[in-house]
Coordinates of all heavy atoms in Angstrom, one line a residue:
V199 N 44.2 13.0 161.1 CA 43.9 14.4 161.5 C 42.8 14.4 162.6 O 43.0 15.1 163.6 CB 43.4 15.2 160.3 CG1 42.9 16.6 160.7 CG2 44.5 15.4 159.3
D200 N 41.8 13.6 162.4 CA 40.7 13.6 163.4 C 41.2 13.0 164.7 O 40.8 13.5 165.8 CB 39.5 12.8 162.9 CG 38.8 13.6 161.8 OD1 39.1 14.8 161.6 OD2 38.0 13.0 161.1
E201 N 42.0 11.9 164.7 CA 42.5 11.3 165.9 C 43.4 12.3 166.7 O 43.3 12.5 167.9 CB 43.3 10.1 165.6 CG 42.5 8.9 165.2 CD 41.7 8.3 166.3 OE1 42.1 8.5 167.5 OE2 40.8 7.5 166.1
R202 N 44.3 13.0 165.9 CA 45.2 14.0 166.5 C 44.4 15.2 167.2 O 44.7 15.6 168.3 CB 46.2 14.5 165.5 CG 47.2 15.4 166.1 CD 48.4 15.7 165.1 NE 47.9 16.3 163.9 CZ 48.1 15.9 162.7 NH1 48.7 14.8 162.5 NH2 47.6 16.6 161.6
A203 N 43.3 15.6 166.5 CA 42.5 16.7 167.0 C 41.8 16.2 168.3 O 41.7 17.0 169.2 CB 41.5 17.1 165.9
F204 N 41.3 15.0 168.3 CA 40.6 14.5 169.5 C 41.6 14.4 170.7 O 41.3 14.9 171.8 CB 40.0 13.1 169.2 CG 39.3 12.5 170.4 CD1 38.1 12.9 170.7 CD2 39.9 11.5 171.2 CE1 37.4 12.4 171.8 CE2 39.3 11.0 172.3 CZ 38.0 11.4 172.6
E205 N 42.8 13.9 170.4 CA 43.8 13.8 171.5 C 44.2 15.2 172.0 O 44.4 15.4 173.2 CB 45.0 13.0 171.1 CG 44.8 11.5 171.1 CD 44.6 11.0 172.6 OE1 45.1 11.7 173.5 OE2 44.0 9.9 172.8
T206 N 44.3 16.1 171.1 CA 44.7 17.5 171.4 C 43.7 18.1 172.3 O 44.0 18.7 173.4 CB 44.9 18.4 170.2 OG1 46.0 17.8 169.4 CG2 45.3 19.8 170.6
G207 N 42.4 18.0 171.9 CA 41.3 18.6 172.7 C 41.2 17.9 174.0 O 40.9 18.5 175.1
L208 N 41.3 16.5 174.0 CA 41.1 15.8 175.3 C 42.2 16.2 176.3 O 42.0 16.3 177.5 CB 41.2 14.3 175.0 CG 41.0 13.3 176.2 CD1 39.6 13.6 176.9 CD2 41.0 11.9 175.7
T209 N 43.5 16.3 175.8 CA 44.6 16.7 176.7 C 44.3 18.0 177.3 O 44.6 18.3 178.5 CB 45.9 16.6 175.9 OG1 46.1 15.3 175.5 CG2 47.0 17.1 176.8
A210 N 43.9 19.0 176.4 CA 43.7 20.3 176.9 C 42.5 20.4 177.9 O 42.6 21.1 179.0 CB 43.3 21.3 175.7
L211 N 41.5 19.6 177.7 CA 40.4 19.5 178.6 C 40.9 19.0 180.0 O 40.5 19.5 181.0 CB 39.3 18.6 178.0 CG 37.9 18.5 178.7 CD1 36.9 18.2 177.7 CD2 37.9 17.5 179.8
L212 N 41.6 17.9 179.9 CA 42.1 17.3 181.2 C 43.1 18.1 181.9 O 43.1 18.1 183.1 CB 42.6 15.9 180.9 CG 41.6 14.8 180.4 CD1 42.3 13.6 179.9 CD2 40.6 14.5 181.4
D213 N 43.9 18.8 181.1 CA 44.9 19.8 181.8 C 44.1 20.8 182.6 O 44.5 21.2 183.7 CB 45.7 20.5 180.7 CG 46.8 19.6 180.2 OD1 47.1 18.5 180.8 OD2 47.5 19.9 179.2
G214 N 43.0 21.3 182.0 CA 42.2 22.3 182.6 C 41.6 21.8 183.9 O 41.5 22.5 184.9
L215 N 41.1 20.6 183.8 CA 40.5 19.9 185.0 C 41.5 19.7 186.1 O 41.2 19.8 187.3 CB 39.8 18.6 184.6 CG 38.5 18.7 183.8 CD1 38.0 17.3 183.5 CD2 37.4 19.4 184.7
A216 N 42.7 19.4 185.7 CA 43.8 19.1 186.7 C 44.1 20.4 187.5 O 44.3 20.4 188.7 CB 45.1 18.6 186.0
V217 N 44.1 21.6 186.8 CA 44.3 22.8 187.4 C 43.1 23.1 188.4 O 43.4 23.5 189.6 CB 44.3 24.0 186.4 CG1 44.4 25.3 187.1 CG2 45.6 23.8 185.5
Q218 N 41.9 22.8 188.0 CA 40.8 23.0 188.9 C 40.8 22.1 190.1 O 40.5 22.4 191.2 CB 39.5 22.8 188.2 CG 39.1 23.8 187.1 CD 37.7 23.6 186.6 OE1 36.8 23.3 187.3 NE2 37.6 23.9 185.3
Y219 N 41.3 20.8 189.8 CA 41.4 19.9 190.9 C 42.4 20.3 192.0 O 42.1 20.2 193.2 CB 41.8 18.5 190.3 CG 41.8 17.4 191.3 CD1 40.6 16.7 191.6 CD2 43.0 16.9 191.9 CE1 40.6 15.6 192.5 CE2 43.0 15.9 192.8 CZ 41.8 15.2 193.1 OH 41.8 14.2 194.0
E220 N 43.5 20.9 191.5 CA 44.5 21.3 192.5 C 43.9 22.5 193.3 O 44.1 22.5 194.5 CB 45.7 21.9 191.7 CG 46.9 22.3 192.6 CD 47.5 21.1 193.3 OE1 47.4 20.0 192.9 OE2 48.1 21.4 194.4
R221 N 43.1 23.3 192.7 CA 42.6 24.5 193.4 C 41.4 24.1 194.3 O 41.3 24.5 195.5 CB 42.2 25.6 192.4 CG 41.6 26.8 193.1 CD 41.3 27.9 192.0 NE 40.2 27.5 191.2 CZ 40.3 27.2 189.9 NH1 41.4 27.3 189.3 NH2 39.2 26.9 189.2
V222 N 40.5 23.3 193.8 CA 39.2 23.0 194.5 C 39.4 21.9 195.5 O 38.8 22.0 196.6 CB 38.1 22.7 193.4 CG1 36.9 22.3 194.1 CG2 37.9 24.0 192.6
V223 N 40.0 20.8 195.1 CA 40.1 19.6 195.9 C 41.3 19.6 196.8 O 41.1 19.5 198.0 CB 40.1 18.4 195.0 CG1 40.1 17.1 195.8 CG2 38.8 18.4 194.1

Side-chain angles (χ1 to χ4, degrees):
V199 172
D200 290 345
E201 288 287 342
R202 187 168 61 234
F204 180 77
E205 279 293 337
T206 298
L208 182 57
T209 298
L211 188 156
L212 294 174
D213 283 348
L215 286 177
V217 172
Q218 290 188 38
Y219 186 81
E220 184 66 26
R221 182 177 67 249
V222 174
V223 179

